Amino acid sequence: QVQLVESGGGLVQAGDSLRLSCAASGRTFSSYAMGWFRQAPGKEREFVAAISRTGSSTPYADSVKGRFTISRDNAKNTVYLQMSGLKPEDTAVYYCTANDNGRTVTFLSGYAYWGQGTQVTVSS
């Protein structure tokens, strides 16, 4: 089992950049595929990005492709989401997630472990 704690959210202006971090507990972090999802008010939680155990596979949602970058540091048990060119429509609670089957899937049910979320607000 793994516990996930997100940080780095905040209030920024359109066009700004922000980096989210997700710290994972346990000594088997490198065995998990990791992902980021987000949920805006009144909307369903949606896939943002995922990263495989070694970082060799990094699928992205079309809405963030070219603006967001997911990465991981297995030595630090941390996954990151670098967000640039932020838009008001990126405003949401961002959730870190993990699965132990190593698959970089894009659907909610593919992940067993979730963090508590961090708020990102982008003003226009």
Side-chain angles (χ1 to χ4, degrees):
Q1 192 167 354
V2 63
Q3 292 185 328
L4 306 171
V5 179
E6 304 97 333
S7 62
L11 172 63
V12 297
Q13 294 186 333
D16 284 352
S17 298
L18 201 62
R19 189 177 80 159
L20 305 183
S21 299
C22 173
S25 64
R27 296 179 292 177
T28 59
F29 176 74
S30 61
S31 68
Y32 292 92
M34 304 296 296
W36 288 95
F37 282 71
R38 68 185 181 185
Q39 188 167 18
K43 295 188 176 181
E44 294 185 349
R45 194 170 298 189
E46 65 176 5
F47 171 75
V48 175
I51 188 165
S52 60
R53 291 163 171 163
T54 62
S56 61
S57 174
T58 55
Y60 293 92
D62 288 343
S63 58
V64 307
K65 201 171 294 184
R67 299 188 299 121
F68 291 10
T69 302
I70 189 171
S71 62
R72 66 189 297 162
D73 186 337
N74 287 342
K76 295 182 178 180
N77 284 12
T78 302
V79 63
Y80 305 97
L81 185 67
Q82 178 68 48
M83 306 184 292
S84 61
L86 283 162
K87 305 175 181 180
E89 51 263 43
D90 294 318
T91 294
V93 177
Y94 284 71
Y95 296 90
C96 177
T97 187
N99 72 50
D100 54 11
N101 62 34
R103 299 174 63 190
T104 51
V105 298
T106 62
F107 47 89
L108 281 168
S109 60
Y111 295 90
Y113 308 104
W114 294 85
Q116 81 289 349
T118 185
Q119 176 71 48
V120 172
T121 303
V122 184
S123 64
S124 58

